[in-house]
Amino acid sequence: MVRLGDLHPVEAEHLLARAANMPAMGVERWLQPPPVTEATVAIVSTAGLHRRNDERFRAGSIDYRLIPGDVDFADVVLSHISANFDRSAFQQDPNIMFPLDRLRELAESGEIGGVANWHYSFMGALPDPLLLEETGEEVGRLLAADGVDVALLVPV
Amino acid sequence: MATASISLIKEQTERVNPPRALWVPFELGRPLGSAEDPQFQRNVIRAALAMLETATEPTIEDYPVEAPDEAGPGQWACPLSIAPPDTPATATGRLLAEVSRLRPWSAETRRARGRTLFGASGAAIDQVDEVVRALTSIAETGDVTSMPAGDVAWSMPPPLLIRHLADDLRTLYHEAIAARPGPDAPNHDALNQWIFTETALGEVLLAVADRLTEDGSRRALLVRGLLIPEGHYRGGSAFASGAARIEPDRR
């Protein structure tokens, strides 16, 4: 288990400084999705994930990569640039960052309505979340247009 | 479309105040908590999605279940003998020898998993010696901006390529030790402690970090921070002090 106090003090200080500079997003309009058992769910990750032949993320990338819902995990790689999180668990089990198998299981058991055909990945560790405003809104529109009811936002 | 988020750094989530966030007490890099534990992972997702039916205003909930502990520094030791009997005189020789001893074990893990993260640098797995030579060449010459020699279609120019050269070698090292798992898997700190105090790879990465320091450009110093985890560069931060870490890349 790791909380900020368990991280290296320099990293903890950096993450706290980042928090202090983050904008309060607020909620313009409260959206109530259909019941979870009827909802189509997509994953939106900030782990810098992408398919092997996609362009790799760079430091500060503000674009996104598309990951199809039927992707084979052998084709999913990661080019996040931070050295301050561990890749070994993802190497062992991609679901620990990108829980696509788990969503498929929840859909199969009827706990969610379905799994989206497309999922999205961004590069995290940006100095200001507002840099992602434009591409974030685009992804939101794309997800909504595809009939996705819920985006499960997964950090790294 | 509604959102439900998993949160790892609660202080950041409190600041942003998204509609529904489930703060989880897990390590960075493990937002679903526990590898190869489908039940544990499903429960985390269930808790996050349940907020869609309970929250009526921006809400952060604490997830009450801890992930299983992993072994920290001092609790885990590399199960493989990586130093060759007659230690080569050069860093390149030491790193090539070390990689050569780990390579068959990493191949076992890749075969069992049917996948690998190796390749971020653009190198194929049978080009790992070229990755080693690219990294040691940078350490020896101090040239942190020229494309390395060799037949590899490198994925991007240095200095950022250096970050991916390191990642590819770390992938090979992680895969090798995963072929000989002990009772507890090593956590991030234990892995870093091993790499940076016991391996030729750590020795070469720290030498490359010094070369990035000598270059002194903003990009070189940024890559130094992306190369060496906190606490392993002269005991402190590998990022240049006072500098913003990452600028947006609008290409």
Side-chain angles (χ1 to χ4, degrees):
Chain A
M1 180 280 295
V2 164
R3 293 175 171 81
L4 271 192
D6 302 311
L7 295 173
H8 188 276
V10 175
E11 179 66 4
E13 187 186 338
H14 167 70
L15 292 169
L16 273 181
R18 294 276 297 272
N21 289 326
M22 283 181 175
M25 304 299 285
V27 176
E28 284 180 25
R29 187 160 56 96
W30 187 261
L31 296 173
Q32 192 61 47
V36 172
T37 51
E38 297 170 20
T40 297
V41 181
I43 301 169
V44 177
S45 163
T46 50
L49 304 171
H50 53 85
R51 287 175 287 180
R52 186 171 296 276
N53 291 329
D54 287 344
E55 187 185 350
R56 287 157 181 80
F57 285 105
R58 293 168 185 265
S61 290
I62 55 174
D63 51 354
Y64 61 83
R65 305 288 180 273
L66 190 59
I67 302 181
D70 61 354
V71 75
D72 183 334
F73 277 148
D75 194 30
V76 178
V77 296
L78 172 158
S79 57
H80 198 293
I81 40 77
S82 172
N84 290 307
F85 70 88
D86 175 36
R87 275 81 166 149
S88 66
F90 179 79
Q91 289 161 350
Q92 185 183 356
D93 174 12
N95 287 290
I96 201 159
M97 284 185 201
F98 190 69
L100 188 56
D101 285 339
R102 303 294 87 84
L103 287 189
R104 289 169 179 156
E105 292 157 5
L106 292 173
E108 209 163 286
S109 65
E111 290 183 70
I112 62 174
V115 183
N117 291 331
W118 301 100
H119 306 265
Y120 294 83
S121 172
F122 290 87
M123 170 76 212
L126 278 171
D128 178 356
L130 287 176
L131 292 165
L132 291 178
E133 191 168 17
E134 194 177 320
T135 39
E137 285 183 4
E138 182 189 346
V139 165
R141 282 194 300 273
L142 291 166
L143 287 166
D146 286 343
V148 172
D149 302 298
V150 173
L152 179 65
L153 310 180
V154 185
V156 72
Chain B
M1 184 197 57
T3 62
S5 12
I6 292 175
S7 159
L8 283 164
I9 306 295
K10 191 176 186 182
E11 291 80 355
Q12 295 183 349
T13 307
E14 285 171 339
R15 176 78 185 177
V16 174
N17 200 27
R20 309 161 191 87
L22 180 73
W23 175 74
V24 292
F26 310 147
E27 283 200 56
L28 297 182
R30 293 161 161 75
L32 274 291
S34 183
E36 293 182 329
D37 191 340
Q39 185 63 36
F40 191 99
Q41 296 173 0
R42 278 193 299 270
N43 285 341
V44 174
I45 297 172
R46 286 180 180 121
L49 296 182
M51 296 182 73
L52 293 158
E53 303 194 338
T54 55
T56 55
E57 60 181 0
T59 304
I60 302 173
E61 274 185 14
D62 289 357
Y63 191 62
V65 184
E66 303 280 343
D69 273 340
E70 290 169 315
Q75 300 169 311
W76 177 85
C78 176
L80 300 167
S81 170
I82 55 171
D86 49 342
T87 306
T90 65
T92 305
R94 285 193 291 279
L95 185 51
L96 282 170
E98 195 171 271
V99 164
S100 160
R101 290 168 83 89
L102 293 173
R103 186 163 19 203
W105 292 109
S106 77
E108 278 306 298
T109 294
R110 283 195 301 281
R111 190 175 61 80
R113 290 177 177 167
R115 61 175 190 276
T116 182
L117 286 187
F118 191 96
S121 68
I125 190 65
D126 61 357
Q127 294 175 309
V128 63
D129 284 357
E130 299 221 40
V131 175
V132 169
R133 290 197 182 91
L135 205 55
T136 54
S137 163
I138 292 163
E140 285 163 8
T141 66
D143 182 351
V144 302
T145 54
S146 299
M147 272 296 196
D151 298 330
V152 179
W154 300 113
S155 59
M156 61 186 66
L160 189 55
L161 174 66
I162 296 169
R163 171 76 190 88
H164 294 307
L165 296 171
D167 242 11
D168 277 351
L169 292 179
R170 286 201 62 155
T171 292
L172 185 133
Y173 280 55
H174 291 178
E175 286 175 345
I177 58 176
R180 307 291 303 177
D184 293 309
N187 68 11
H188 186 50
D189 289 341
L191 284 169
N192 284 333
Q193 190 72 17
W194 172 57
I195 294 279
F196 286 97
T197 63
E198 296 181 38
T199 72
L201 174 58
E203 176 192 347
V204 168
L205 291 177
L206 289 169
V208 169
D210 286 339
R211 296 305 204 174
L212 291 163
T213 305
E214 287 162 21
D215 180 90
S217 70
R218 184 182 169 81
R219 283 184 66 78
L221 297 181
L222 170 65
V223 170
R224 189 183 70 189
L226 303 176
L227 188 68
I228 311 293
E230 296 295 16
H232 292 276
Y233 181 70
R234 307 187 191 286
S237 178
F239 285 100
S241 63
R245 287 188 174 188
I246 293 170
E247 292 294 315
D249 182 338
R250 297 184 184 279
R251 269 170 293 186

